[in-house]
Amino acid sequence: MITIALNLAIAMVTLAALLNVYRLIKGPDEPDRVLAIDTLYINAIALIILLGITLGTRMYLESALLIAVMGFVSTVAMAKYLKRGSVIE
Amino acid sequence: MSPFAEYAISALLIFGGAFTLVGAIGLARLPDFYTRLHGPTKATTVGVGAIMLSSVIYFSAMGEDIGISEILITVFLLMTAPVSANMLAKAAMHIGVNTLESTKGNPWEQ
Amino acid sequence: MFDRLSFPQPWLSLILFTTWQILSDGVSGGSVVLGLILAWLIPQMTHGFWPERPAFVKTWRMPAYILRVLKDIVAASFSVAWLILSPRKPRPAFINYPLKLEHPLAISILASTISLTPGTVSADVSDDKKTLLIHALDATSDQEVIDTIHNRYEKPLMEMFQ
């Protein structure tokens, strides 16, 4: 049963990532694109966790943590760039 | 693995996947930037949280340690989601993105 | 000199130390030493960003607040999910929320809570820290949203910080 649920979850998260890519391409403004990337990295974390359960290993959690930290910092940097025109003042 | 753990893990996986999908549908479907901001900050965070929880239950049912790093990631996402939403809202107000015509009230000048 | 050796932000230091123990596989001599160094070094280096000591008085009230917020987050995502999937158009609104809290940390906790709970995202704080701009996804009346936030979240925070 877990296998079926796992495959369903992977399918749904992948579909979600595709929808994010649609928003990333369509825009129409820069904040929309940044928001799409922000959601995309959170979906990537979900996919990594699902992959970890599928393979029965917890090795990938470290990379999920790294993506979480880096994704947040890059979102903040991009938002700040859009607002001020520079990242570090 | 006990059948109860199996049910719980499957339910959490489908719940998490569904919410992640709903968040993305909101991002793709809602009419203006500020409404689109709501989907990812709530639905996606809860979806990923549920998937993390299922991972915690799965690995402890397999007889491994309690997954503290999963909880750490979830707490981190819960703490950062409102901050990035706030930063993006400020950036959007600065650029002056279009709002839906039926929106009551106005964004502030930046 | 004594100032340099102390922990100016005890809570931050405690959180940093615990996080480091979680990140390194299991508690060992090395991780404790490195954790202590980090718990001392990072608050010292970020000293300039923390102008005043946090005015946490009633820390024991925090777990009840966190539990309430977690419960509301799940409830919130159900209502947002329903709105996203239903065919009717949302009724978005910008709302000016009059803040009664004064401490900066309390305001930022309130703003984060608002962003995570029912249909609202906090967008900005005014320069005099008296008004919070909120975007609501589906609001029938401004006053209703303001009252809900005040009774559910701001009151417990006011008790915690005063």
Side-chain angles (χ1 to χ4, degrees):
Chain A
M1 191 168 68
I2 289 183
T3 327
I4 301 170
L6 206 53
N7 286 335
L8 259 175
I10 291 178
M12 285 191 280
V13 177
T14 313
L15 195 59
L18 283 176
L19 285 169
N20 293 338
V21 172
Y22 162 77
R23 180 53 68 195
L24 178 64
I25 294 168
K26 188 158 178 270
D29 296 302
E30 289 90 348
D32 286 297
R33 298 205 162 95
V34 180
L35 184 63
I37 296 176
D38 187 69
T39 320
L40 202 54
Y41 89 74
I42 298 179
N43 285 1
I45 294 172
L47 272 181
I48 287 174
I49 304 295
L50 291 171
L51 181 73
I53 300 178
T54 318
L55 299 178
T57 169
R58 280 167 72 186
M59 230 164 49
Y60 298 104
L61 278 176
E62 311 279 317
S63 63
L65 194 63
L66 276 180
I67 292 179
V69 176
M70 290 298 162
F72 171 64
V73 172
S74 58
T75 305
V76 168
M78 281 190 282
K80 208 160 173 225
Y81 174 74
L82 289 179
K83 190 162 183 285
R84 301 263 170 88
S86 67
V87 179
I88 299 164
E89 283 153 24
Chain B
M1 196 185 294
S2 70
F4 178 73
E6 219 168 289
Y7 285 126
I9 294 166
S10 311
L12 277 172
L13 280 175
I14 290 176
F15 179 84
F19 264 98
T20 318
L21 184 56
V22 166
I25 292 174
L27 185 67
R29 183 173 171 269
L30 287 171
D32 76 339
F33 173 75
Y34 296 104
T35 51
R36 282 198 279 269
L37 204 53
H38 289 268
T41 43
K42 292 178 200 84
T44 308
T45 314
V46 170
V48 177
I51 290 175
M52 296 285 181
L53 202 59
S54 72
S55 166
V56 173
I57 300 176
Y58 180 80
F59 283 110
S60 45
M62 297 289 277
E64 291 186 34
D65 305 340
I66 295 281
I68 306 175
S69 12
E70 282 105 327
I71 298 168
L72 199 66
I73 298 174
T74 315
V75 170
F76 186 79
L77 285 179
L78 277 179
M79 273 164 47
T80 55
V83 177
S84 40
N86 184 271
M87 297 285 289
L88 283 173
K90 275 187 183 175
M93 284 195 290
H94 178 71
I95 293 174
V97 297
N98 293 327
T99 50
L100 197 67
E101 272 177 31
S102 61
T103 307
K104 283 190 287 180
N106 288 309
W108 292 345
E109 294 289 319
Q110 289 286 310
Chain C
M1 185 61 202
F2 182 73
D3 200 45
R4 285 272 141 211
L5 287 173
S6 65
F7 296 96
Q9 302 283 335
W11 286 106
L12 178 64
S13 298
L14 188 68
I15 290 169
L16 283 170
F17 183 75
T18 328
T19 313
W20 186 255
Q21 303 311 317
I22 294 169
L23 281 177
S24 49
D25 285 314
V27 181
S28 65
S31 74
V32 168
V33 171
L34 204 53
L36 278 175
I37 294 175
L38 287 174
W40 169 75
L41 191 66
I42 293 176
Q44 290 286 350
M45 281 169 70
T46 56
H47 196 253
F49 298 109
W50 302 79
E52 56 213 89
R53 277 166 176 271
F56 251 131
V57 193
K58 295 168 183 165
T59 325
W60 67 88
R61 283 179 190 266
M62 206 63 191
Y65 183 76
I66 290 176
L67 274 183
R68 164 181 281 188
V69 170
L70 279 180
K71 207 179 93 222
D72 284 2
I73 289 171
V74 178
S77 34
F78 272 105
S79 61
V80 169
W82 181 244
L83 261 173
I84 287 172
L85 294 177
S86 72
R88 88 183 159 84
K89 291 251 176 201
R91 288 160 296 183
F94 280 101
I95 298 168
N96 288 312
Y97 180 82
L99 276 171
K100 295 198 176 60
L101 289 165
E102 279 159 10
H103 197 277
L105 182 62
I107 293 175
S108 67
I109 292 178
L110 182 71
S112 303
T113 312
I114 288 171
S115 293
L116 283 171
T117 46
T120 46
V121 168
S122 61
D124 206 355
V125 185
S126 64
D127 291 333
D128 57 1
K129 294 198 175 69
K130 290 217 171 75
T131 326
L132 194 65
L133 182 66
I134 298 174
H135 182 268
L137 180 57
D138 193 57
T140 37
S141 81
D142 291 9
Q143 199 55 43
E144 199 185 305
V145 176
I146 292 175
D147 288 345
T148 318
I149 292 171
H150 181 73
N151 292 327
R152 251 190 115 65
Y153 309 115
E154 198 175 17
K155 270 192 186 152
L157 279 174
M158 278 162 82
E159 280 167 20
M160 240 185 286
F161 278 88
Q162 270 152 27

